[in-house]
């Protein structure tokens, strides 16, 4: 492997680029299908070098210039993944699969999906549908889930298990962009089962209509699926069932695609780029799996965010831990919060008896442990 000195940087302590650096660029560009310039890419790898665009360009070309997975667009002066070319289509021709799952609870696990509903879309048009009840492992639908969805144990008794359903759904999904309302939830369950059954996770690009609502309708206070449908005058038929909720999300997506077009976003890759950026224009890098956040308790408590080495970065309090922690991964976060999230690999939670106890624990732990981002965000 060539070292940085070959790119024209003198000095004895030269860093070596390896597979991990290339993988980091690959993962970054997966969520930037429209591409990124060399300054952005080198900024991911080396602090300070991004201020010299010519140096950054040489370093990036040295690292990925001969790799067929990466393409350099001379006209735009940007790098992108070769696989992203299929996303460089107009929104009117873009293909989506809008998904809604019903499950036995909030935590992904083997056989916890009890219904899959989905619609294929081309642009703003709904085309084909997929609907299937699934027999959960153990065969029992919890009573509170029946109250919410009307799906009973008797209804799923003769349904096929997820092992038989998922191959057909994977074919229905194809390589289209996956869309869901609060997509982290549905993605977490599907990704878990994809990994368990197929040995490889769900790799489709993802759009979240909840995140899009925050992006295109910032003044709207409540963005639950049924409330958005009511706001737009859409039918609520089939609420809390897979196909009914998937239809609502698909119709809402159609409206948001029109809103995106009005703001000048006319291509799918650019919509996906915009989707992964916060309000300050900073992309949110996520290292904590969605299913881990979905498994957090609704109880009050404190949360401790740690980096890849386990170093403590930030301590916070919450009335409901799951909702508070999930808010950090929203596209509406500020730039400094997005920077914090990009370093978080593990989130530890400590449940308390009350929000007051959580607030007191937060103050005590911050005073004792002095996490750096508590000071940085307070002064922001």
């Amino acid at each position: 492997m060539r070292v940085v000195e070959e790119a024209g940087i003198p000095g004895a302590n030269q860093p070596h680029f390896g597979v991990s650096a290339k993988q980091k660029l690959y993962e970054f560009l997966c969520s930037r299908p429209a591409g990124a310039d060399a300054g952005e890419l080198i900024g991911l790898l080396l602090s300070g070098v991004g201020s010299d665009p010519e140096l950054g360009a040489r370093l990036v070309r040295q690292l990925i210039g001969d790799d067929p997975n990466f393409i350099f667009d001379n006209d735009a002066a940007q790098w992108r993944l070769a696989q992203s070319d299929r996303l460089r289509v107009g929104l009117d021709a873009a293909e989506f699969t809008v998904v809604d799952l019903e499950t036995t609870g909030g935590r992904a696990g083997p056989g916890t999906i009890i219904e899959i509903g989905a619609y294929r879309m081309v642009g703003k048009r709904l085309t084909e549908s997929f609907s299937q009840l699934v027999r959960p492992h153990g065969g029992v639908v919890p009573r509170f889930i029946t109250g919410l969805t009307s799906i009973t144990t008797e209804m799923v008794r003769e349904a096929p298990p997820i092992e038989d359903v998922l191959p057909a759904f994977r074919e229905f999904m194809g390589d289209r962009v996956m869309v869901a309302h609060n997509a982290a939830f549905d993605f977490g369950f599907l990704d878990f089962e994809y990994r368990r059954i197929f040995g490889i996770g769900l790799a489709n690009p993802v759009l979240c209509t909840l995140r899009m609502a925050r992006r295109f309708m910032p003044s709207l206070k409540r963005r639950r699926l049924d409330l958005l449908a009511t706001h737009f005058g859409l039918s609520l038929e089939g609420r809390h069932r897979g196909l009914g909720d998937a239809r609502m999300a698909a119709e809402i997506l159609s409206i948001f695609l029109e809103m995106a077009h009005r703001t000048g976003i006319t291509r799918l890759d650019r919509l996906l780029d915009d989707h992964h950026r916060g309000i300050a224009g900073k992309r949110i890098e996520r290292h904590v799996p969605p299913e881990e956040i979905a498994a957090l308790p609704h109880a009050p408590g404190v949360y401790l965010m740690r980096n890849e080495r386990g170093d403590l970065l930030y301590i916070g309090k919450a009335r409901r831990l799951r909702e508070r922690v999930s808010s950090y991964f929203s596209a509406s976060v500020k730039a400094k919060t997005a920077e914090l999230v990009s370093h978080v690999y593990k989130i530890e939670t400590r449940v308390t008896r009350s929000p007051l106890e959580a607030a007191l624990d937060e103050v005590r732990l911050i005073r004792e442990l002095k996490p750096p981002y508590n000071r940085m965000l307070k002064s922001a």
Side-chain angles (χ1 to χ4, degrees):
M1 179 65 67
R2 292 170 292 178
V3 297
V4 177
E5 189 167 298
E6 293 179 19
I9 308 175
N13 298 318
Q14 303 292 357
H16 289 259
F17 288 125
V19 174
S20 61
K22 186 179 289 187
Q23 180 68 28
K24 190 168 186 177
L25 296 184
Y26 184 91
E27 291 172 355
F28 177 78
L29 289 173
C30 276
S31 60
R32 293 290 302 279
D37 61 37
E40 287 184 276
L41 299 183
I42 203 62
L44 293 173
L45 305 177
L46 297 173
S47 59
V49 178
S51 60
D52 184 344
E54 293 184 5
L55 175 58
R58 292 198 301 272
L59 288 173
V60 173
R61 189 172 294 278
Q62 172 192 324
L63 179 61
I64 60 177
D66 296 328
D67 191 321
N69 288 306
F70 300 88
I71 292 175
F72 183 71
D73 185 333
N74 285 295
D75 294 334
Q78 290 185 327
W79 290 91
R80 67 176 186 272
L81 293 180
Q83 68 187 38
S84 295
D85 278 358
R86 65 183 178 84
L87 303 174
R88 295 167 68 83
V89 297
L91 293 182
D92 57 343
E95 296 187 345
F96 307 96
T97 302
V98 186
V99 182
D100 184 83
L101 305 180
E102 304 302 332
T103 69
T104 57
R107 183 168 188 171
T112 53
I113 296 172
I114 59 173
E115 188 176 37
I116 302 176
Y119 277 93
R120 284 177 177 170
M121 294 179 65
V122 178
K124 293 178 283 186
R125 294 182 295 106
L126 282 68
T127 57
E128 304 168 73
S129 65
F130 180 101
S131 181
Q132 179 64 59
L133 287 170
V134 184
R135 185 174 74 249
H137 284 195
V140 177
V141 177
R143 192 172 296 174
F144 78 95
I145 294 295
T146 296
L148 179 68
T149 66
S150 76
I151 300 174
T152 65
T153 297
E154 290 72 24
M155 290 170 63
V156 300
R157 183 170 288 132
E158 302 302 322
I162 190 64
E163 290 83 358
D164 293 344
V165 173
L166 207 58
F169 176 72
R170 181 171 66 164
E171 183 176 348
F172 182 85
M173 170 89 81
D175 61 359
R176 298 170 186 82
V177 175
M178 173 185 159
V179 184
H181 196 74
N182 190 19
F185 178 87
D186 301 86
F187 181 90
F189 278 82
L190 284 173
D191 185 63
F192 179 93
E193 293 291 25
Y194 268 55
R195 292 177 188 276
R196 184 176 71 87
I197 296 170
F198 304 130
I200 186 168
L202 183 60
N204 299 59
V206 177
L207 285 172
C208 175
T209 50
L210 175 59
R211 180 179 288 189
M212 295 176 83
R214 295 189 183 113
R215 165 71 171 82
F216 294 117
M217 307 182 70
S219 62
L220 199 63
K221 299 299 182 184
R222 303 174 69 190
R223 305 179 182 92
R224 209 171 61 203
L225 181 63
D226 56 343
L227 296 178
L228 282 174
T230 300
H231 177 83
F232 291 123
L234 306 175
S235 170
L236 299 182
E237 183 180 357
R239 177 66 174 134
H240 289 307
R241 290 297 301 270
L243 198 61
D245 284 355
R247 176 192 52 76
M248 275 185 270
E251 292 174 347
I252 289 168
L253 174 64
S254 295
I255 295 169
F256 288 154
L257 291 177
E258 179 63 31
M259 290 182 177
H261 196 279
R262 291 174 185 170
T263 66
I265 301 172
T266 59
R267 237 170 48 191
L268 177 59
D269 57 340
R270 291 173 178 164
L271 178 64
L272 289 165
D273 270 12
D274 182 78
H275 194 67
H276 288 280
R277 292 176 180 269
I279 57 175
K282 183 176 177 62
R283 174 185 172 270
I284 301 193
E285 293 184 73
R286 184 178 192 143
H287 307 294
V288 181
E291 60 268 24
E292 288 188 14
I293 295 175
L296 294 178
H298 285 290
V302 294
Y303 52 94
L304 294 81
M305 295 179 163
R306 300 183 182 275
N307 65 15
E308 195 170 12
R309 299 188 302 273
D311 302 326
L312 182 63
L313 300 176
Y314 184 79
I315 296 172
K317 66 179 183 301
R319 289 180 175 273
R320 291 176 291 274
L321 285 164
R322 184 190 302 176
E323 287 84 348
R324 180 68 185 105
V325 171
S326 65
S327 70
Y328 282 88
F329 298 90
S330 162
S332 60
V333 298
K334 295 181 179 179
K336 282 190 176 292
T337 303
E339 181 185 349
L340 163 64
V341 170
S342 71
H343 296 292
V344 174
Y345 283 77
K346 182 179 180 182
I347 300 175
E348 173 190 340
T349 60
R350 301 179 186 180
V351 173
T352 60
R353 290 170 294 184
S354 68
L356 175 59
E357 184 179 339
L360 294 173
D361 280 358
E362 179 198 35
V363 172
R364 176 179 57 81
L365 290 169
I366 291 173
R367 184 174 61 247
E368 292 175 359
L369 303 176
K370 298 178 174 60
Y373 273 87
N374 284 84
R375 296 192 300 274
M376 290 174 61
L377 295 181
K378 184 176 182 181
S379 62

